Amino acid sequence: MSWVSVKDAMGGKPQTSCTVKGWVRTRRDSKAGLSFIHVNDGSCFDNFQIVAPADLANYAEEIQKLTTGCAIEATGTLVESQGQGQSVEMQASDIKVVGWVDDPDTYPVSAKRHTFEYLREQAHLRVRTNTFGAVTRVRDCLAQAVHRFFHERGFYWIHTPIITASDCEGAGEMFRVSTLDIANLPRTPEGAVDFSQDFFGRDAYLTVSGQLNVEGFACALSKVYTFGPTFRAENSNTSRHLAEFWMIEPEIAFANLDDDIALAVDFLKYLFRAVLAERADDMKFFAERIEKTAIERLQHVIDSDFKVVSYTDAIDILTKAKKKFEFPVKWGTDLQSEHERYLTEEHFKAPVVVRDYPKDIKAFYMRANDDGKTVAAMDVLAPGIGEIIGGSQREERLDKLDQRLDEMGLHKDDYWWYRDLRRYGTVPHAGFGLGFERIVQFVTGMANIRDVIPFPRTPGNASF
RNA sequence: UCCCCGAUAGCUCAAUGGUAGAGCGAGCGGCUGUUAACCGCUAGGUUCCAGGUUCGAGCCCUGGUCGGGGAGCCA
């Protein structure tokens, strides 16, 4: 039998017949001889009102026993609603109960307010709530927009490896990947674990970044990006960190830091426009119930000219600021989040790009500037959230790259293929990285990053 | 990982070291073209786990687990 989504039913023509399927959110009985059933199937934020007349064959036996969470299939005629709150509803002629709720008293997602902390323990059911349904749709909208943005501009999506044999990526603690018997590890004569007997014939890890890999593809296909899972084994217990998260990393060839910044600005504006246009229903909910400024702050970023300021000038601004900072402002040290927030929220009152950071606080692959002190790195700071993007122009000159590897005590042999890219037709290139969940957080206003990913993985928690 | 706070009914929270309570949810009934409706009644407890102090521990002490806020690290 054909059926339609709740979204389509609500936009349907009165006096037409259809079937909808979904899960009961609430049921109210009226002694006027009918029940009101609100059904949601995830196709949109709103619930669909089904009017069940008492003369349905299963009215007393089943309809009046429906509780939150039951799955039903309802067939009837669309009519203009006699009540407030919806324009179209269904006058049902047949309602089948597809799945009952085993014990309504202990149904974990009953029709009442729940804390996000509690719902996190019910991650398989929390998506049936208004908030998590909305988060899921917005997350999908953003993911689709990410691919659309790059596709429209001729970028290729590169599936960089999840497993890496490179333990020198330097971006954080890594998860080891191994098939060795932990209870009975093979040993070398010296007593070390013998990874030559492991699956890959050496030690291996889960990736912390696809950047080094994707640089190779940029130096052949010109415009590329990664969008995939990323893993950090850091013992971080914050509302902004996950052990498993999704990261987006574009990389462009024949490009400098200015091109990189322009791309980042376009990218953010594109994503925010997409979500405002496509998920107005969910964004209205976030603005009403989660974060009052959810919509206006996206619009603000879309309408703003991003300010671009050098790190050195940013230090100057912070030094002259009347505000007292907990951490001292000093050239050569990284900006604290309080410093970043001052720049974007108080001084510029707009999104800010800070560029040209001291080389000693940045990674080896960032391109040395002519001043000998700074590198072509940039961070995009947004009001209300702080750092949202980090990127750089990459060092394409082999002698300069080797110099940095030496200075930082890294072994050239470990980077042989990365160095090859500088030996064979090297070109200026640049890119940036952005944590997908942080964008979802910024857009929705959700305070904890664990609530914007379906099944969060954090230290001490890999449930579900 | 560090600092601070917390864990009691399905959920959110009360309870001077002395009989464990309320609201919501659930069940039953009433009322109503209703909107997370409203009114009444009923049921519902290994007080996170393991020890300890005490005549007596939800409450005090020790250790642990998990959660929250902040910090660091970052995306």
Side-chain angles (χ1 to χ4, degrees):
Chain A
M1 187 184 196
S2 69
W3 49 292
V4 299
S5 68
V6 161
K7 181 185 173 192
D8 288 345
M10 292 209 289
K13 274 190 185 148
Q15 306 314 319
T16 59
S17 296
C18 66
T19 298
V20 300
K21 307 183 184 191
W23 292 266
V24 174
R25 286 293 179 82
T26 57
R27 187 203 85 239
R28 289 178 297 279
D29 299 326
S30 169
K31 280 298 176 290
L34 44 103
S35 290
F36 300 97
I37 304 166
H38 279 191
V39 168
N40 188 286
D41 70 349
S43 58
C44 57
F45 181 84
D46 289 319
N47 301 321
F48 185 52
Q49 176 154 288
I50 293 166
V51 182
D55 57 15
L56 288 177
N58 59 346
Y59 187 75
E61 276 301 302
E62 296 193 322
I63 302 305
Q64 288 196 296
K65 293 190 167 69
L66 286 173
T67 58
T68 304
C70 289
I72 63 167
E73 174 180 332
T75 301
T77 306
L78 297 180
V79 296
E80 287 182 23
S81 180
Q82 297 172 36
Q84 305 284 310
Q86 60 280 314
S87 54
V88 176
E89 64 190 18
M90 174 186 281
Q91 193 70 35
S93 56
D94 180 60
I95 296 176
K96 290 187 176 67
V97 181
V98 179
W100 289 101
V101 164
D102 182 45
D103 177 9
D105 189 35
T106 58
Y107 180 59
V109 197
S110 57
K112 60 158 274 134
R113 272 194 81 90
H114 296 287
T115 60
F116 293 146
E117 292 80 21
Y118 165 73
L119 288 172
R120 224 171 276 151
E121 297 167 2
Q122 309 292 340
H124 57 311
L125 295 172
R126 68 176 179 171
V127 71
R128 297 186 184 190
T129 64
N130 285 336
T131 301
F132 289 94
V135 166
T136 302
R137 283 183 296 272
V138 165
R139 185 182 167 108
D140 169 75
C141 173
L142 286 165
Q144 302 289 355
V146 166
H147 287 303
R148 210 164 55 239
F149 172 86
F150 288 123
H151 182 69
E152 286 170 359
R153 284 159 183 75
F155 283 66
Y156 297 107
W157 179 22
I158 309 304
H159 306 110
T160 48
I162 305 293
I163 296 172
T164 174
S166 164
D167 61 354
C168 46
E169 299 194 21
E173 293 296 310
M174 304 176 84
F175 288 102
R176 184 183 297 283
V177 176
S178 174
T179 55
L180 292 178
D181 179 2
I182 292 177
N184 188 21
L185 291 170
R187 299 283 176 178
T188 63
E190 293 76 33
V193 176
D194 184 6
F195 285 108
S196 71
Q197 295 185 43
D198 205 348
F199 186 88
F200 295 106
R202 55 155 299 166
D203 51 340
Y205 305 85
L206 293 179
T207 184
V208 295
S209 167
Q211 182 203 315
L212 299 190
N213 288 298
V214 90
E215 279 189 47
F217 275 69
C219 295
L221 298 175
S222 301
K223 292 189 284 188
V224 297
Y225 70 106
T226 71
F227 185 4
T230 309
F231 308 87
R232 303 272 168 93
E234 302 283 358
N235 193 4
S236 295
N237 295 288
T238 80
S239 59
R240 293 161 55 75
H241 290 86
L242 291 165
E244 175 183 285
F245 63 100
W246 288 61
M247 189 154 64
I248 299 155
E249 297 172 292
E251 192 75 28
I252 43 180
F254 303 102
N256 60 23
L257 192 64
D258 293 325
D259 302 315
D260 202 36
I261 292 169
L263 180 68
V265 171
D266 281 354
F267 182 59
L268 288 177
K269 292 189 176 191
Y270 185 97
L271 294 185
F272 296 163
R273 273 194 206 101
V275 82
L276 288 180
E278 296 168 29
R279 294 266 48 116
D281 56 347
D282 294 316
M283 289 310 299
K284 180 166 168 285
F285 169 79
F286 288 121
E288 284 172 356
R289 293 319 237 341
I290 304 295
E291 164 60 53
K292 281 191 179 64
T293 65
I295 292 173
E296 42 196 274
R297 69 180 181 181
L298 294 189
Q299 196 62 52
H300 179 63
V301 173
I302 292 168
D303 296 337
S304 295
D305 290 325
F306 285 47
K307 309 296 179 190
V308 180
V309 61
S310 72
Y311 168 88
T312 302
D313 289 347
I315 292 293
D316 200 40
I317 291 166
L318 292 166
T319 305
K320 290 175 179 161
K322 291 196 173 69
K323 191 181 176 77
K324 284 277 180 194
F325 294 113
E326 188 184 342
F327 292 90
V329 176
K330 189 184 167 208
W331 200 98
T333 62
D334 219 347
L335 298 178
Q336 298 290 323
S337 60
E338 60 172 344
H339 302 146
E340 296 179 341
R341 296 184 71 132
Y342 174 82
L343 289 172
T344 185
E345 290 169 15
E346 297 185 49
H347 186 81
F348 290 108
K349 293 184 170 61
V352 181
V353 182
V354 180
R355 56 175 292 170
D356 300 318
Y357 283 82
K359 65 176 183 177
D360 292 337
I361 59 172
K362 289 294 182 181
F364 73 91
Y365 51 74
M366 296 185 178
R367 190 179 195 276
N369 286 328
D370 292 341
D371 61 13
K373 295 185 298 187
T374 61
V375 291
M378 63 96 171
D379 285 347
V380 179
L381 314 178
I385 192 165
E387 182 182 335
I388 200 165
I389 281 179
S392 68
Q393 185 174 341
R394 320 307 188 188
E395 182 55 81
E396 87 282 11
R397 299 161 297 187
L398 186 62
D399 57 330
K400 302 276 188 186
L401 181 67
D402 284 347
Q403 190 184 327
R404 284 297 284 154
L405 288 170
D406 287 341
E407 282 174 15
M408 300 182 79
L410 299 169
H411 302 295
K412 289 196 191 70
D413 292 349
D414 292 339
Y415 296 89
W416 68 270
W417 62 265
Y418 192 73
R419 293 177 68 251
D420 263 9
L421 298 173
R422 276 74 182 162
R423 295 173 63 203
Y424 307 128
T426 191
V427 292
H429 59 289
F432 60 81
L434 146 155
F436 185 56
E437 284 74 18
R438 294 216 178 146
I439 287 286
V440 181
Q441 263 191 289
F442 181 67
V443 168
T444 61
M446 294 294 287
N448 196 310
I449 200 166
R450 300 168 192 202
D451 298 327
V452 297
I453 190 167
F455 298 102
R457 273 80 178 92
T458 51
N461 190 351
S463 300
F464 305 99

